[in-house]
Amino acid sequence: MKPNYDTAQEKNDNTILFSKVVKAGKRIYYVDVKRDRREELYLSITESKRIKDGTDETRPVFEKHKIFLYREDLEKFTEAFSEAVDYTRANSPEPAPRERQPENKSEETESESLKFDIEF
């Protein structure tokens, strides 16, 4: 039997206030801003990876990983993330072409423009 939760509160817990989707081959990244029960905002970053294609009879199978970041951790996370990106760019050869090219220029611009320049 399902517990009897206050539906307004339950809906509030699942509300996405802002969302950005980054498509990358078989992976999709969702960067969402949500509100918790104490009315605090947090980031929810989800990686969804298709591990098995669907058929006419079955649905595709996805593997999901989530990270939740609260405001007090954003500055440290942003700094570490930026340093890791800078290091990777400086120490990696040019990336090989992806298996799938963007269908239009706006899709390419959208994924390239996702940055973590957050000021507090």
Side-chain angles (χ1 to χ4, degrees):
M1 178 177 223
K2 184 178 177 183
N4 185 13
Y5 294 113
D6 179 14
T7 56
Q9 182 64 36
E10 185 176 318
K11 183 177 180 184
N12 186 38
D13 292 344
N14 296 322
T15 301
I16 297 173
L17 305 171
F18 172 86
S19 186
K20 189 77 172 179
V21 177
V22 180
K23 295 179 181 179
K26 289 189 173 192
R27 289 184 171 92
I28 299 175
Y29 299 96
Y30 300 92
V31 181
D32 302 321
V33 177
K34 296 183 177 184
R35 185 182 317 272
D36 70 8
R37 292 180 183 145
R38 295 174 300 192
E39 300 296 315
E40 293 180 18
L41 300 182
Y42 66 96
L43 286 179
S44 171
I45 302 171
T46 305
E47 176 200 41
S48 180
K49 179 181 176 184
R50 187 174 59 237
I51 57 174
K52 184 177 177 186
D53 291 328
T55 66
D56 291 340
E57 296 84 31
T58 63
R59 292 182 163 185
V61 177
F62 292 89
E63 179 180 86
K64 293 185 178 185
H65 299 100
K66 290 188 176 216
I67 297 173
F68 301 107
L69 292 165
Y70 281 84
R71 182 180 175 105
E72 62 267 19
D73 303 322
L74 287 175
E75 192 169 334
K76 292 177 187 175
F77 179 85
T78 302
E79 184 178 316
F81 186 84
S82 294
E83 287 178 26
V85 168
D86 291 343
Y87 178 87
T88 302
R89 286 182 177 151
N91 293 289
S92 295
E94 286 295 315
R98 289 207 179 256
E99 60 188 61
R100 176 186 120 4
Q101 296 299 319
E103 294 174 12
N104 57 43
K105 189 66 177 169
S106 64
E107 182 180 333
E108 180 179 337
T109 303
E110 180 180 321
S111 64
E112 290 177 354
S113 68
L114 182 64
K115 295 182 180 164
F116 289 90
D117 295 331
I118 302 170
E119 293 184 26
F120 300 94

